[in-house]
Amino acid sequence: MNRAFETVKASRQIERIVNGVATSDGAGVRLTRLISQELQKRLDPFLMLDNFGSDNPDDYIAGFPDHPHRGFETITYMLAGRMRHRDSAGHEGLLENGGVQWMTAGRGVIHSEIPEQQDGLMEGFQLWLNLPSNKKMISPWYRDIPSQEIPSYVTPDGVSVRVIAGRSNGVEGAVSRENTEPLYLDIDLPGGSAFHAILPATHNAFVCVYRGEIDIRGKRLAEKRMAVLSNEGEGAILKAGSPARAILVAGRPLNEPVVQYGPFVMNTREEIYQALSDFREGRFAN
Ligand code: MN
């Protein structure tokens, strides 16, 4: 079957390259934080992006014991390894190689994310996606999407694309969200290939390379680096001279005030105080 693949004439440019900050979170999990509070406005509706990746169990084994969230969604993409998830509402799931966990914290969950492996490589991303003010207090929800259930396609250039969220080249992703219309693609580029993605001008977008390096409009993006893309241009063209893998994420900004205190992201300070007292007084767990 012939399919018309998206063609971008003028790509968005790399506006800024982000090296990320090495940090640790949870019970000492080592990770690189690529999106933190200073980029929340520029990359609205995205709040945080962590990249974890290590073959040293000391860097990840203790995981993230019980902790709360309120007011946003977490999207965990496990490239390698296994992570067990349990929450206060009684949900439990195992996230494995290539799988995604999409969790809507809404009004509040307390959960744990604990590796289920003693050795070997553990690698992935956790992205935080904001919720609009009128949905911050919705009921918690989550879905484990095994690798084989993530829609994918291959372009004529041989680029393999997994559509975690949104719609790409006519392929509907695993999850969609009406307010922010997130697009989340995992792109595997063979050497000498190019991938075109049309992006609405309003949508903020970034690319993170996790294997090899890519070129965006003449500028090189090295492994483990993230690029904030400009909003000018009808989309993005990612070129790879040698094999490379990257995620491309875009979303429509909410343009609402963001007040974050650790794992709580609301619109006002009062709502943060409310979250703290609800958490302390046990109104998160059901
Ligand atoms: Mn969490």
XYZ file of all heavy atoms in Angstrom, residues 16-22 32-35 39 51 208 221-227:
161
model
N 18.172 25.557 21.730
C 19.040 25.434 22.898
C 19.363 23.964 23.122
O 18.490 23.102 22.975
C 18.278 25.984 24.113
C 19.018 25.850 25.410
C 18.230 26.508 26.527
N 18.782 26.077 27.804
C 18.256 26.350 28.984
N 17.145 27.054 29.049
N 18.823 25.924 30.087
N 20.616 23.672 23.449
C 20.999 22.299 23.793
C 21.111 22.192 25.305
O 21.703 23.060 25.962
C 22.311 21.893 23.091
C 22.049 21.734 21.580
C 22.866 20.595 23.677
C 23.270 21.427 20.750
N 20.505 21.157 25.846
C 20.495 20.956 27.296
C 21.321 19.716 27.628
O 21.073 18.638 27.091
C 19.029 20.774 27.792
C 18.992 20.501 29.285
C 18.174 21.989 27.433
N 22.345 19.900 28.471
C 23.186 18.766 28.863
C 22.553 17.938 29.969
O 22.890 16.776 30.152
C 24.543 19.251 29.362
C 25.323 19.952 28.277
O 25.109 19.697 27.087
N 26.213 20.839 28.663
N 21.674 18.572 30.736
C 21.073 17.879 31.869
C 21.971 17.943 33.089
O 23.144 18.299 32.999
N 21.393 17.641 34.225
C 22.109 17.699 35.494
C 22.064 16.319 36.128
O 20.981 15.742 36.299
C 21.438 18.732 36.438
C 22.098 18.729 37.805
C 21.485 20.118 35.810
N 23.243 15.800 36.460
C 23.306 14.500 37.137
C 22.779 14.686 38.554
O 23.197 15.586 39.279
C 24.737 13.990 37.164
N 19.811 11.574 35.062
C 20.115 12.882 34.495
C 18.803 13.622 34.307
O 17.896 13.135 33.618
C 20.826 12.737 33.131
O 22.019 11.985 33.335
C 21.178 14.101 32.555
N 18.698 14.781 34.948
C 17.465 15.572 34.831
C 17.628 16.538 33.661
O 18.502 17.407 33.670
C 17.195 16.318 36.142
C 15.879 17.052 36.152
C 15.236 17.069 37.517
N 14.838 15.728 37.948
C 14.587 15.381 39.217
N 14.691 16.268 40.183
N 14.233 14.143 39.508
N 16.802 16.358 32.636
C 16.922 17.156 31.420
C 15.937 18.319 31.396
O 16.229 19.374 30.855
C 16.709 16.256 30.200
C 17.863 15.259 29.968
C 17.411 14.062 29.162
C 19.042 15.938 29.291
N 14.760 18.103 31.972
C 13.817 19.220 32.126
C 13.593 19.412 33.614
O 13.231 18.466 34.316
C 12.462 18.936 31.442
C 12.653 18.748 29.933
C 11.471 20.074 31.714
C 11.375 18.390 29.184
N 12.814 25.155 32.829
C 12.310 24.958 31.458
C 10.798 24.758 31.388
O 10.237 24.588 30.306
C 13.018 23.766 30.803
C 14.375 24.053 30.161
C 15.059 22.761 29.745
C 14.227 24.982 28.953
N 16.261 11.046 32.597
C 16.799 9.919 31.832
C 17.633 9.098 32.797
O 18.571 9.608 33.393
C 17.661 10.465 30.680
C 18.287 9.378 29.811
O 19.314 9.598 29.186
N 17.689 8.204 29.758
N 15.439 14.276 22.415
C 16.540 13.783 23.243
C 17.137 12.555 22.567
O 16.424 11.611 22.236
C 16.024 13.444 24.640
S 17.333 12.886 25.729
N 23.322 17.215 17.410
C 22.843 16.922 18.763
C 23.458 15.596 19.180
O 23.190 14.555 18.582
C 21.308 16.855 18.788
C 20.666 16.676 20.161
C 20.964 17.857 21.087
C 19.158 16.470 20.038
N 24.318 15.652 20.193
C 25.092 14.479 20.607
C 24.282 13.570 21.536
O 23.224 13.956 22.049
C 26.364 14.944 21.315
N 24.803 12.376 21.734
C 24.168 11.394 22.608
C 23.960 11.966 24.005
O 24.821 12.688 24.510
C 25.059 10.145 22.674
C 24.422 8.974 23.373
C 25.235 7.693 23.143
O 25.046 7.057 22.102
O 26.066 7.358 24.008
N 22.825 11.630 24.595
C 22.464 12.049 25.964
C 22.167 13.537 26.081
O 22.116 14.070 27.190
C 23.563 11.685 26.979
C 23.952 10.226 26.993
C 22.942 9.390 27.746
C 23.405 7.943 27.840
N 22.291 7.054 28.247
N 22.011 14.204 24.952
C 21.697 15.626 24.993
C 20.265 15.848 24.529
O 19.739 15.084 23.728
C 22.634 16.423 24.075
C 24.088 16.331 24.444
C 24.377 17.090 25.721
N 25.799 17.108 26.020
C 26.420 16.217 26.798
N 25.749 15.216 27.347
N 27.723 16.320 27.033
N 19.684 16.909 25.040
C 18.332 17.268 24.654
C 18.361 18.594 23.908
O 19.151 19.473 24.264
C 17.473 17.409 25.907
C 16.009 17.628 25.627
S 15.086 17.955 27.144
C 15.090 19.733 27.113
N 17.529 18.725 22.900
C 17.412 19.999 22.184
C 16.011 20.550 22.364
O 15.028 19.846 22.128
C 17.700 19.798 20.698
